Every structure is written in structure tokens, then in C-alpha cells.
Amino acid sequence: MAEAISSNFIYNIIDEDLKSGKHPEGIHTRFPPEPNGYLHIGHAKSICLNFGTAEKYAGLCNLRFDDTNPTKEDTEYVDSIQEDIKWLGFSWGDRRYYASDYFEKLYEYACALIEQGLAYVDDLTAEEIRAYRGTLTEPGKESPCRSRSVAENLALFERMKAGEFPDGSRVLRAKIDMASPNITMRDPVIYRIAHAVHHRTGDAWCIYPMYDFAHPLSDAIENITHSLCTLEFEDHRPFYDWLLEVLGFDKNTRPRQIEFARLNVTNTITSKRKLRQLVEEGHVRGWDDPRMPTISGLRRRGYTPASIRDFCERIGVAKSNSTVDVAMLEHCVREDLNEHAARVMAVLHPLKVVLTNYPEDKSEELLAENHPTRGGKRYVPFSRELYIEREDFMEEPPKKFFRLRPGGEVRLKHAYIIKCEEVVKDEKGEITELRCTYDPESKSGGSAANRKVKGTLHWVSANDALDAEVRLYDYLLKTDNEETTADFIASLNPHSLEVIEGAKVEPSLARTAEGTHYQFLRTGYFVVDKDTRPDRLVFNRVVGLKDSWGKVKG
């Protein structure tokens, strides 16, 4: 695991600011999610950066919900976002805010712009505004409404607020420069009409500020020192600075926007719009489906807060976008679980083994270790009838197959050496049972336990094993990069979920709790799913034992 927080260009900027004497009251950041969906792995990077920066500099980090679009927002998303942040191990203390807290103040700022002749009410449609805006090589064209008087604009804006106009009929635009080489500065829309019930303010408002207007002003109101945004907001920074300047915020104390590269991960969808589509169209079983890259999905899948924070630290903070191999994320969770997950035995595809020379009325409790370094012991039952993995036996094995074969010997983990004497098949020729003998002198820990065989298998006692449902997950997206996929639905992996009914697990898992992690020996890391009931065990595979990223980086 990464032990120390490495430096990055953002920290270098903050260090220079502090060295110059700016921000004597300390560093203050914010995490400003929109409550219109569940957070995903990309947001985890932003959470770790914003809260982590505040922790590094003994400062503060606010949680502020950017709730300026009532048509897509819901308290369900507010609740899930708070749960995700807490789960990752961060706290906003008493600093939970909403952009809606400032609606009255933001309205006053908009009126102040109008009074300065820096904003106007426009009657153009959304399509006309786009057409008038121009291109990267051609300047925009001024709206016929741009020359309205201050008094007329104030009156129209008040009427917008009073609900006199239908949605889309008018907007308020900042008056900047329609010939600016930065298209964002070509009179951006700062207010629109939306007759919709807001999840906090109800129907008190029917006009709502745009993000580019609400965000810098909310930062300034909250005395944010460094506003950390992803790279898509780089072109918006001139408007951020322009707005705070013309409204009179002191250049020496107002917030500074800094952009960093967003997190893109191979085989992973990080578009909130696409994730919503997956949920609404039923391609997944909700926002917390373990195949989803949402933080709640990763949590249910069995990823740990420590592994996600470690991943975010390892990838660092860059100025240019890139794509991270999902194997690196898997490596981080595998490292964490290898350190903490107890070892148990589970057979996913059981094949019965009968030990013909083991007494029918006998059973015994064998001592097994819980973890190779953390220690701890438990007892596992052993009896005449066992289950092993079906793939651990082959009638005609290839070379270097060190598992069970006719006439071959293997050791059962924590137990005895057995030898396959007979293969029993049904009328279709399918193998239904192996009849074996065991060497009573080969018990693990016993005097003859040093007799060597090349293969060691996991197993469970047939009489004592518990039935379990095991869910195996693969990547939701077949392609490496969602951005290159025109129809991402067509690129969904049809084999992203395999459900195994009738798996067998050792009885020590009878009273296991949701969220408990285990390493199923020789199989992978698993977690107890929330669908588990007293009479039904359900496990999700978190990650396999193989570490492909570790091999690549080596």
C-alpha cells in the first residue's frame, strides 16, 4: 500500500500561495457533486483530492451539493453521496452546504450584473443561441436583445422570477464579448426558466442559475481558497475569474480555480448519463450493481475504502487526461484483501469424493489456519464424503497437471493425502463421483505428514457443507475505452455476470455478516452480499488471485 501522500502540481501551487503570505486563515477546499446520480470511481479521485488536500494542509473541505437542476435531482442521490464520502473515510464536519442555500444571494448577484450593464434577458431560443455563438474560427453574432436597457432587463428578470414566462422562452446572459476566441466567454447563459419542484426549495423558484454562474459564487461565499476542477472546466476558468472580478471580490482572497485530469479507467463507464441509462433501461440491477463503477457498486462488489484511496494515490494528479488500466485498481484491492481477508474453503462446482477406507460413522475436526501472517485458527469438519472442485479432476490430464487423476494422489489442504481408485459415471457418461482411499498416516501436522505429493486441493465435508450462491463478475464494458464507443450499449459484455447455484462452503461461514471478506483458497477474494439471509448465503467475487498489473509493472 502507498504509505505517504506524494506531491503534485496542485500542492506546489498551494505551497507557493502559502509562501507568499496568501490565505493566512488556512486552506479551504470543497467537493461539489450534483445530486443527479450516484458517484463513481472518477468522483472518488476528486473526493480523495479535495478532502485529502484539506487534510494535508490542516485545512477544511466543504461538501456542497450543486443542486441547480431540479428536473434531475433527488434526495436519494444526496443520501448516497454522503454515505459514499463517509465510507471512503472523509468528513465534512458541520460544513454541508447546497447551492440552493444561496439562491436569493445568487439572484441578487445576477441583478447586480444587470445594473452594471453586464447581463441581459435574451428571447432567442436555445437553438438560436447556439447558432449565434459562432465557431472556433468565426466570431459570434450579437443577439437583438443585447441592447436592452438596464431598466428593461431588470423588469424582465423580475418577471422571469415571478413565473410569468414558460420554460425556454427567455434566459439571462452575461454580456461579455461575442468575438472572444474562447467560446465560453461569448455571452454565456447564467439563468434559465424551469417550472419544476426542487427537492429542497419546492416551488419557491422557477428560475435557476447555471453551474458556471453558481459555482464560482458559491466558492466565494464559502471562502474557498482553491477550487479543484477536472480539465473540462479549463475553458470556463476565464468566466470564473471574470465573474468574481466584476462583482467586486478581492483578487488576493477570492478562490482560485485549478484544473486536473479526470480519471478514465479501461473497460469502465464513467459517464453519469450512461450509468443512468444502464439503470433505467434495466441493463444492471440498480446503481449498486457490483458490475457498476459507482462507489456503492464497488462497495457491494467488495472493494475496500483503503484500496480505492490507495489507487487514487498511486495514479497521482496530472494536468493531461489519460486512461488507467483497470488491472491497477484490481491490484490495489487484491493487496489490501491479501493482508486482511481470512482464508476459507469453498467449492464452486462440486464433485463428490467418497473415501472408501474411511469409517462411515466417523468424523473429525481438523485444525486450519485463518491467515498465513495474521494467525488465528479454526476447526473444519472432515468425513467420509467430501466435495472437491470438478475442474480439479481429469481422466486424461495433460502434462504438468498436478491435480487428481485416476490412480493419482493429491493432498487435501489441512487434511490427508488421497488416491483416486475409481471413477463413477451416469448413463450419459458424466462423472458423478470419485471413489478414493486416504492415507491415515498423512494427516497434516502428523508424524508422516512430510510425505510429498505435487498437488494440494481445497475441499469441504459433504455432510457439513453449506449451500451458497456465488456471483462471478467480469468487466461491464468489452472495449478498453468508453469514449471511443459510439453505441456503448452494443459494447456491453453479455458475460459480465455468472451466477453459480449450489456452491458448497465450509460451515464456519454459517453466521457470517454482510460485507465480510474472505479468500476462497485457490479461487479468489469474495465478500458476503447484502442478499444473504439466515437460510441463504450469497457471495460476490471481488477479484481473482491473479495479478496481471503486478506482472506488467514488474
Side-chain angles (χ1 to χ4, degrees), residues 13-22:
I13 291 173
I14 294 176
D15 289 339
E16 285 298 317
D17 285 346
L18 293 174
K19 185 178 179 181
S20 68
K22 294 179 70 174

Side-chain angles (χ1 to χ4, degrees), residues 49-64:
L49 178 58
N50 277 285
F51 283 93
T53 298
E55 287 183 357
K56 174 179 171 63
Y57 290 95
L60 302 173
C61 183
N62 295 357
L63 169 60
R64 181 177 70 241

Side-chain angles (χ1 to χ4, degrees), residues 12-50:
N12 294 339
I13 291 173
I14 294 176
D15 289 339
E16 285 298 317
D17 285 346
L18 293 174
K19 185 178 179 181
S20 68
K22 294 179 70 174
H23 316 303
E25 296 183 359
I27 299 304
H28 203 150
T29 62
R30 84 291 167 267
F31 176 62
E34 299 175 72
N36 60 1
Y38 282 58
L39 301 184
H40 55 63
I41 185 64
H43 295 109
K45 176 181 178 180
S46 183
I47 291 170
C48 291
L49 178 58
N50 277 285

Side-chain angles (χ1 to χ4, degrees), residues 116-284:
Q116 294 181 58
L118 296 177
Y120 62 97
V121 174
D122 198 354
D123 302 346
L124 295 180
T125 65
E127 292 76 15
E128 290 170 331
I129 290 175
R130 279 193 291 270
Y132 274 51
R133 186 169 289 134
T135 66
L136 292 173
T137 57
E138 297 180 355
K141 185 170 63 172
E142 293 185 358
S143 167
C145 303
R146 201 173 193 265
S147 59
R148 278 176 167 152
S149 68
V150 168
E152 185 179 5
N153 282 315
L154 284 172
L156 285 172
F157 192 45
E158 175 61 32
R159 292 174 65 190
M160 287 171 59
K161 178 175 180 287
E164 294 186 23
F165 307 119
D167 293 1
S169 61
R170 282 185 165 90
V171 295
L172 182 69
R173 298 176 69 180
K175 186 188 291 187
I176 308 177
D177 182 5
M178 290 302 294
S180 172
N182 184 340
I183 293 179
T184 301
M185 299 296 282
R186 296 179 187 175
D187 293 9
V189 174
I190 58 176
Y191 262 90
R192 81 284 199 193
I193 302 171
H195 290 85
V197 176
H198 190 278
H199 71 100
R200 293 188 72 239
T201 62
D203 57 2
W205 293 85
C206 62
I207 56 170
Y208 292 92
M210 302 298 288
Y211 178 84
D212 278 358
F213 183 76
H215 181 232
L217 292 173
S218 298
D219 283 349
I221 291 169
E222 295 176 13
N223 297 312
I224 301 303
T225 60
H226 297 84
S227 183
L228 311 181
C229 304
T230 46
L231 275 179
E232 60 262 35
F233 294 101
E234 186 173 24
D235 290 341
H236 301 242
R237 188 184 347 127
F239 179 69
Y240 186 105
D241 293 337
W242 176 88
L243 185 62
L244 297 183
E245 181 175 350
V246 298
L247 287 173
F249 290 93
D250 188 338
K251 186 174 183 179
N252 294 317
T253 58
R254 71 192 188 207
R256 176 177 182 178
Q257 178 175 304
I258 306 172
E259 304 85 23
F260 63 93
R262 61 171 287 178
L263 174 58
N264 299 301
V265 183
T266 58
N267 303 95
T268 304
I269 299 167
T270 53
S271 160
K272 195 182 290 186
R273 176 185 60 80
K274 292 178 180 178
L275 294 176
R276 179 193 291 270
Q277 183 179 345
L278 291 177
V279 173
E280 293 179 346
E281 294 182 0
H283 299 287
V284 293

